[in-house]
Amino acid sequence: MKGCVKFMSKYDEYEVIMGLEVHAELSTKTKIYCGCSTEFGADPNTHCCPICTGMPGVLPVLNKKVVEYAVKMGLATNCEIAKFSKQDRKNYFYPDLPKAYQTSQYDLPLCEHGYVEFMVGDTLKRVGITRIHIEEDAGKLIHDPYTGDTLVDFNRCGVPLIEIVSEPDIHSADEAIGYMQTLKSILEYLEICDCKMQEGSLRCDVNLSVRKKGETKFGTRTETKNLNSFKAIARSIEFEIKRQIDELEAGGEIYQETRRWDDDKGIGYAMRSKEDAHDYRYFPEPDLAPIVLSDEYVNNLKVNLPEMPVARKTRYINEFNLPEYDAEQITNSKYMADFFEKATAVCNNPKLVSNWIMSDISRILNEQEITITEAKFTAEQLGELISLIEKNVISSAIAKKVFEDMAVSGKNPKVIVEEKGLVQVTDEGAIREIVQKVLELNPQSVEDYLAGKEKAMGFLVGQTMKESRGKANPGIVNKLLKEELEKLK
Amino acid sequence: MKITEQEVRHIASLARLRLSDDEVEKLGEELGQIKEFVETLNEVDVSSVDATAYILDKQNVLREDELKPSFDRELILKNAPAKEAGCISVPKVVE
């Protein structure tokens, strides 16, 4: 046997350790400490009052829903809920923060010591949740390229956030994506965050370090901030792993620093070094009273939690006989799962609905770069479309064409079928005429078939379907072709 | 006890304050005196008192999630020294 050199990349000699800090904006109507609207996209500085712009002498009052939503998230991620919790001031000076401190929670967060589980490939992965606390979002800074100044919009200032801090249990980009996807699902199922990552309502910071396999000491970690798409999370992680290993292999050193990811350029870079920038001087918020939660309050939220993604997936496997992979894909998004159930209620064929979601619907959503809630067609319309196939009104091939139309126009499938005259032809007399015409026009194929070339049959079926503009019932076409060819033997 | 020059400069930089050498010297003295004064609290015997972060006998001061009208933008921006396009304009923030 020839000598075989096993190639071992330097990257394989390292272990990656990550912890994620995920920020989710809560979908309350109003801000965390005042009655201003949290709605996204309003004119700058029109959702502001003296409280959220940090005027002196104002008194913030905590929004009840913020506590409720945070506790729900804690319960859904197996956390212990604090009976006694308080809020603190995190001091830092930056123009997006008019008070010069962010009201957050320091040593007594609402939720602690939880975990979530999810599949990475075929393996069940568990990631520990260190804590979940409530805090306020900061304003938005807009760089004005014309004047070179920075413009400040305080609309987002005071929008409630929960920060979900994970244990350093994550070891690859795939695990990070799985974890983030799991949190997103749970937030959607609880209906406490709209999870629009492109609008910043769900975003994450990645703390990452590497060490040689077998080492017990952690390496120096960096923090890449404000990643707001799954693609950006995965790419920035791959970039940072490579950067740190390359640096160490070249005899360099990793500095503890905050980094930013430029998704357009595909590179990460250091923003500021941690040691000189951050000294938050946390202290208890004197304007806000402690949060004291009774067992009754927590239990009441617990028993009323909606069905969670894992439970729903199991139900789809058992109740609808869906393959595990399909069930997982559909239940990942609450909106997709709701869509699935509504469509199934109309046509009563869960397997076909699932097939449509896994193929044509996923493709069209990708092409149009939208989510299912933004689609032109409704679940009921998909259900009707499937019913039309099942009742033999249209063929599956025609249904695909009808669906393309629905995805653009949002019209009812029945209307499209009528308008375009797509009703399936099942009249044997009419189809036989087409079949006879096709056989006449293709003597070579007929000869081939009669000589034993079965493949010629496929061509003749295709020609007949084409001649009928896709409307002939494929079963009848097959049957009649065989009959007519038999006559020619 | 005087606060060291280094500490004064650190605190000033966190608050984005630019201090002259004279001011650093003076503030070191004054902050030291304030700290000393606060430290007299250490002389009180609190062994029978529970630690607390909040002095009032209140908890769960909460409001309903109900919309209230926001302020007019003109009013919100009234005290801003510079504004543009409905925003407060500040010197370029570089990170």
Side-chain angles (χ1 to χ4, degrees), chain A residues 29-31 34-36 44-45 48 61-64 93-94 144 148 150 152 271-272 279 286 290 292, chain B residues 10 14 16 54 58 60 62-68 70-71 73 84 86-90 92-93 95:
Chain A
K29 288 203 285 285
T30 66
K31 292 186 179 180
C34 65
C36 288
N45 296 304
C48 299
V61 185
L62 181 60
N63 185 339
K64 208 183 245 182
F93 194 94
Y94 208 62
D144 184 343
T150 296
V152 191
M271 273 161 69
R272 56 188 173 206
D279 180 355
V292 180
Chain B
H10 176 62
L14 289 171
R16 301 296 187 273
Y54 192 73
K58 277 192 191 311
N60 298 335
L62 301 164
R63 44 172 267 273
E64 298 297 327
D65 184 25
E66 280 165 7
L67 272 175
K68 294 260 165 61
S70 293
F71 273 40
R73 180 157 75 187
E84 200 186 305
C87 293
I88 295 169
S89 177
V90 299
K92 186 178 175 185
V93 182
E95 270 211 337

